[in-house]
Amino acid sequence: MNKQKVIFLVAMVVVLSAQFMSFQEVEASRTFQRDGVLVTPGYIQPYQPPSAPAPTAPAPTSPGSGSGDGSQIISSPVRSTLDRNTYVAPIAPPPPPPSSPTPSPAPSPQPPAQIPAAPSWLTAEEAKAFELLNKFRVDNNLPPLQIHSGVVNVARLKAHDIADNNYFSHVSPTYGTVPQMLKNAGISYSSAAENLSKAGTVSQAHIQLVYSTTGHRQIMLSPNYTHVGIGIVPLKNVPGIIMVQIFIR
């Protein structure tokens, strides 16, 4: 073998050796990549897969915000590990404060009862006595009495009998009791009573009955009676008057 052939053979061996070494380095590099390792000049660094982005806490929401169905998204840091789309049942709003009851209007005061006017056919003294009697009743929350013309005639008859015969009693020696006098006058009633007063004036006669201790005041303020007849005549032998009140229902 000549010298040129030897050189050629040596060169071919060197070339083939270099190619074989290069092929091994590439295969080793591919093996590392398949195993999750990257090859860099000078050292080998373990391969790290890309990490998922850290979950960010949702922005705080004001109470009542959330989905259209009234639910709320959990935004408390304590519950931050829950999924962003986790929902809880809606929280009922606090009940409104109780409203104060509307005060009912105070009942309007009832107007005082009107005292009926005395008819013109009464005497001045009888009209005054009728007014004093009804004012006394109205002041004590009782309805006023109505004047009864038939009973007025009976009261006048009794007053004249007392003045003429000089007695002071509920039983007339001439006409009998009050029920008998009312019956004879044709007056119907369910209950009746009589007051007698002898005084200097009508006002004094009224005061005597108001402060009497023999039941006259109770008759004047009784709710059982609806009508009254009053007869007043002057006394015969002394100054003053005799007043007869007859009450009926």
Side-chain angles (χ1 to χ4, degrees), residues 84-108:
R84 180 178 180 84
N85 294 324
T86 302
Y87 292 83
V88 294
I91 300 175
S99 58
S100 57
T102 305
S104 57
S108 56

Side-chain angles (χ1 to χ4, degrees), residues 71-109:
S71 60
Q72 292 179 311
I73 298 176
I74 295 178
S75 58
S76 170
V78 178
R79 305 293 298 277
S80 61
T81 57
L82 295 178
D83 185 75
R84 180 178 180 84
N85 294 324
T86 302
Y87 292 83
V88 294
I91 300 175
S99 58
S100 57
T102 305
S104 57
S108 56

Side-chain angles (χ1 to χ4, degrees), residues 25-189:
E25 182 178 353
V26 172
E27 286 298 312
S29 176
R30 290 175 182 173
T31 301
F32 285 140
Q33 289 178 351
R34 286 196 300 268
D35 294 340
V37 180
L38 289 177
V39 177
T40 56
Y43 66 93
I44 298 176
Q45 179 181 1
Y47 172 75
Q48 296 291 339
S51 59
T56 58
T61 57
S62 60
S65 64
S67 63
D69 60 358
S71 60
Q72 292 179 311
I73 298 176
I74 295 178
S75 58
S76 170
V78 178
R79 305 293 298 277
S80 61
T81 57
L82 295 178
D83 185 75
R84 180 178 180 84
N85 294 324
T86 302
Y87 292 83
V88 294
I91 300 175
S99 58
S100 57
T102 305
S104 57
S108 56
Q110 296 294 328
Q114 296 296 321
I115 298 175
S120 59
W121 44 266
L122 289 179
T123 66
E125 290 179 328
E126 292 170 346
K128 183 176 182 179
F130 178 64
E131 180 182 357
L132 290 173
L133 172 61
N134 272 334
K135 186 176 185 304
F136 183 49
R137 287 177 63 88
V138 169
D139 289 346
N140 285 272
N141 300 318
L142 289 170
L145 299 174
Q146 300 296 320
I147 199 74
H148 192 291
S149 60
V151 180
V152 170
N153 292 332
V154 173
R156 286 173 177 173
L157 185 62
K158 179 67 175 287
H160 279 289
D161 188 50
I162 291 174
D164 293 341
N165 295 297
N166 194 26
Y167 73 92
F168 194 74
S169 172
H170 289 294
V171 180
S172 167
T174 308
Y175 306 107
T177 63
V178 171
Q180 290 175 331
M181 295 182 69
L182 292 173
K183 181 180 179 180
N184 293 335
I187 298 172
S188 60
Y189 63 94

Side-chain angles (χ1 to χ4, degrees), residues 16 22-23 52 70 83 86 93 97 99 109 126-127 140 142 151 170 176 199 201 212 226-228 230 234 242:
L16 291 175
S22 176
F23 175 78
D83 185 75
T86 302
S99 58
E126 292 170 346
N140 285 272
L142 289 170
V151 180
H170 289 294
T201 64
S212 173
T226 57
H227 293 76
V228 68
I230 300 174
I242 180 71

